[in-house]
Amino acid sequence: MPALVLLGAQWGDEGKGKATDLLGGSVDYVVRYQGGNNAGHTVVVGDQKYALHLLPSGILSPGCTPVIGNGVVVDPSVLLSELSGLNERGVDTSKLLISGNAHIITPYNVTVDKVTERFLGKRKIGTTGRGIGPTYADKINRVGIRVQDLYDESILTQKVEAALDVKNQVLTKLYNRRAIAVDQVVEELLGYAGKLAPYVADTVLVLNRALEEDKVVLFEGGQGTLLDIDHGTYPFVTSSNPTAGGACTGAGVGPTKISRVIGILKAYTTRVGAGPFPTELFDEDGEALRRIGGERGVTTGRDRRCGWFDAVIARYATRVNGLTDFFLTKLDVLTGWEQIPVCVAYEIDGERVEELPYSQTDFHHAKPVYEMLPGWSEDISKAKSFSDLPKNAQAYVKALEEMSGAPISAIGVGPGRDETIEINSFL
Ligand code: GDP
Ligand code: IMO
Ligand code: MG
């Protein structure tokens, strides 16, 4: 019953795409369980680079069936263009399965996302503008449109009418925008129905049968633990549950089925958009991390905010996800620093705090307490085993492992599939 969850342990962009792709060759199904095309996963295979937003990274492994679970929000136009882009590059996408219960990001959800952010002004979240929050809001408000609705024109029309009833009032009276016509939306959505039809399936049944047959299923999280709507730095979060429990609700698989939960952990920290970030750097070290690490958003092209590793966050991720392993990425980026600061605790109003404070006021005031670890200057990108790493790099990894509360079972030393040191097998 090998069901693995692979998720971001920080604020996203930890290298989940690479890690999923690496395992993709040995698993039968890779399942996205939440989020949508706010995700940006870069996968490098040989000299080819792929940027995936909505499709599970397993789509690049020929033996693997990619699945978009019920917890995902799907923008059909983005999905179809991502599929055709991959087809043009010779990638077979015919095995893809999409849950009929997944919600659709409609054009009005994208509009509402953008106008809301503009309206918030200085208080904005810095969303990706892809309609994610408004689509999940419609789902919770029970006025969402699901993939299966595309196959019943009458129901679709009624649901779009219900959704636009209130939204058009808000758009015209509050935001001073033009009303959106029901017919136009229905026509656009019906235009996707035929193209998506070959992929639509009862994914809950498929996945549970696969697990009964001892197939290997990998659940791939988008975003990260600190962007989780319940466990993240609310309100500066995304509108879904990237944490491990989200895999169960977002794919329809019971928690007793999950055998391993792998947290992807960058050897330093980054964040995109607004919100607190205790170890953020505003100096040349931050610039250097951004430059060497190529820290620019795959989805929005925005520069990522950069800072040192934060062990308080890693411990928190271990706890809320029940992590069994870490996959430490981008260790190579830290090559060349004489000393590397690591945040081991926070100082909040003069007191040392070892764990993430539940109060947002305290978190906003948290100042990092750093421990200095000795750096290394040797190129580590060709390292194949832990013992190939310079002693100080080994010590850095061991120190992070000790502070973070779960074994580091793999280490990324470059963006490529094979630029990875495997310590404990995941399967
Ligand atoms: P995701 O959203 O978690 O999938 O991560 P992104 O793809 O947005 O960002 C991670 C970036 O780091 C991508 O450009 C990857 O190709 C790259 N990457 C992943 N692992 C490593 C690594 O170990 N070393 C280096 N140098 N780059 C890596
Ligand atoms: P991957 O899967 C990093 C951030 C946005 C914003 C907040 C809310 O590549 O790790 P949203 O559009 O989701 O409502 O925006 O969440 N965000 C991400 N940051 N990586 C991501 O995905 C993100 N997806 C959303 O920048 O701060
Ligand atoms: Mg990303």
Side-chain angles (χ1 to χ4, degrees):
M1 201 175 55
L4 297 85
V5 180
L6 192 156
L7 51 82
Q10 295 149 322
W11 276 288
D13 302 323
E14 299 90 348
K16 299 176 292 293
K18 173 190 153 160
T20 305
D21 169 67
L22 188 72
L23 296 178
S26 341
V27 308
D28 300 298
Y29 294 82
V30 173
V31 188
R32 277 284 306 268
Y33 55 87
Q34 48 66 236
N37 56 302
N38 47 349
H41 300 172
T42 308
V43 181
V44 180
V45 185
D47 60 354
Q48 294 287 309
K49 190 168 168 177
Y50 300 90
L52 302 169
H53 296 285
L54 188 53
L55 291 168
S57 305
I59 197 119
L60 301 172
S61 303
C64 174
T65 300
V67 180
I68 293 180
N70 55 277
V72 176
V73 287
V74 177
D75 185 325
S77 66
V78 172
L79 178 63
L80 291 168
S81 73
E82 205 164 310
L83 285 171
S84 63
L86 288 177
N87 295 153
E88 279 162 23
R89 295 174 71 178
V91 177
D92 176 17
T93 57
S94 60
K95 284 186 167 178
L96 174 70
L97 300 177
I98 306 171
S99 166
N101 285 348
H103 280 246
I104 288 191
I105 302 177
T106 62
Y108 52 78
N109 293 135
V110 178
T111 305
V112 170
D113 192 0
K114 289 180 177 156
V115 294
T116 311
E117 281 282 278
R118 212 167 301 148
F119 201 72
L120 280 170
K122 274 203 311 235
R123 287 167 298 166
K124 72 177 178 190
I125 308 293
T127 73
T128 59
R130 300 300 192 265
I132 306 296
T135 305
Y136 279 113
D138 279 3
K139 174 177 175 174
I140 300 299
N141 281 331
R142 293 162 292 189
V143 291
I145 311 294
R146 295 189 294 176
V147 169
Q148 58 174 295
D149 298 329
L150 301 183
Y151 304 99
D152 186 326
E153 186 172 347
S154 156
I155 284 189
L156 179 67
T157 309
Q158 289 173 45
K159 289 192 172 180
V160 173
E161 263 168 14
L164 279 177
D165 238 11
V166 177
K167 272 188 196 69
N168 273 335
Q169 300 283 336
V170 176
L171 282 173
T172 53
K173 295 188 178 144
L174 186 63
Y175 294 126
N176 210 13
R177 304 276 298 211
R178 251 182 299 174
I180 295 171
V182 173
D183 295 354
Q184 217 173 318
V185 174
V186 170
E187 193 187 322
E188 178 177 336
L189 294 180
L190 286 175
Y192 300 126
K195 292 181 193 136
L196 294 182
Y199 307 113
V200 181
D202 181 350
T203 54
V204 174
L205 188 62
V206 171
L207 291 172
N208 280 283
R209 286 214 171 127
L211 287 168
E212 275 161 27
E213 290 165 14
D214 253 359
K215 297 270 194 289
V216 186
V217 181
L218 176 65
F219 299 93
E220 177 192 8
Q223 294 79 52
T225 300
L226 275 295
L227 286 173
D228 186 281
I229 186 88
D230 285 275
H231 301 291
T233 46
Y234 190 90
F236 301 103
V237 292
T238 193
S239 299
S240 66
N241 289 114
T243 48
C248 296
T249 44
V253 166
T256 49
K257 299 275 162 58
I258 308 290
S259 44
R260 210 134 172 203
V261 186
I262 305 159
I264 312 302
L265 188 65
K266 213 179 270 194
Y268 50 97
T269 314
T270 62
R271 165 159 214 177
V272 193
F277 177 0
T279 62
E280 182 169 16
L281 293 166
F282 300 95
D283 58 8
E284 56 273 26
D285 280 332
E287 267 309 316
L289 287 174
R290 191 173 302 116
R291 190 182 65 251
I292 302 166
E295 297 299 350
R296 180 173 284 252
V298 185
T299 299
T300 56
R302 289 181 292 186
D303 273 355
R304 294 175 181 153
R305 300 157 64 190
C306 295
W308 298 121
F309 184 83
D310 185 335
V312 182
I313 280 173
R315 276 198 291 281
Y316 179 73
T318 304
R319 189 178 319 127
V320 296
N321 294 300
L323 296 182
T324 56
D325 305 79
F326 279 115
F327 188 139
L328 185 71
T329 60
K330 304 191 97 161
L331 186 64
D332 53 302
V333 174
L334 294 179
T335 301
W337 265 276
E338 227 164 84
Q339 290 207 301
I340 308 170
V342 168
C343 168
V344 295
Y346 300 141
E347 192 195 297
I348 302 172
D349 299 331
E351 266 185 50
R352 186 182 166 107
V353 175
E354 304 279 339
E355 301 297 346
L356 201 86
Y358 76 89
S359 145
Q360 64 173 1
T361 312
D362 286 347
F363 194 55
H364 279 267
H365 293 161
K367 296 203 172 55
V369 176
Y370 285 118
E371 208 170 88
M372 302 303 272
L373 299 182
W376 59 93
S377 55
E378 300 90 333
D379 175 16
I380 62 168
S381 63
K382 303 284 179 296
K384 291 282 169 253
S385 70
F386 189 68
S387 57
D388 291 343
L389 291 174
K391 286 282 167 286
N392 285 352
Q394 291 186 13
Y396 184 81
V397 173
K398 282 289 159 206
L400 262 47
E401 181 172 82
E402 193 131 310
M403 293 169 194
S404 305
I408 292 176
S409 295
I411 303 167
V413 290
R417 238 183 215 176
D418 48 356
E419 289 170 308
T420 306
I421 297 171
E422 290 186 64
I423 299 171
N424 305 311
S425 166
F426 288 114
L427 295 165

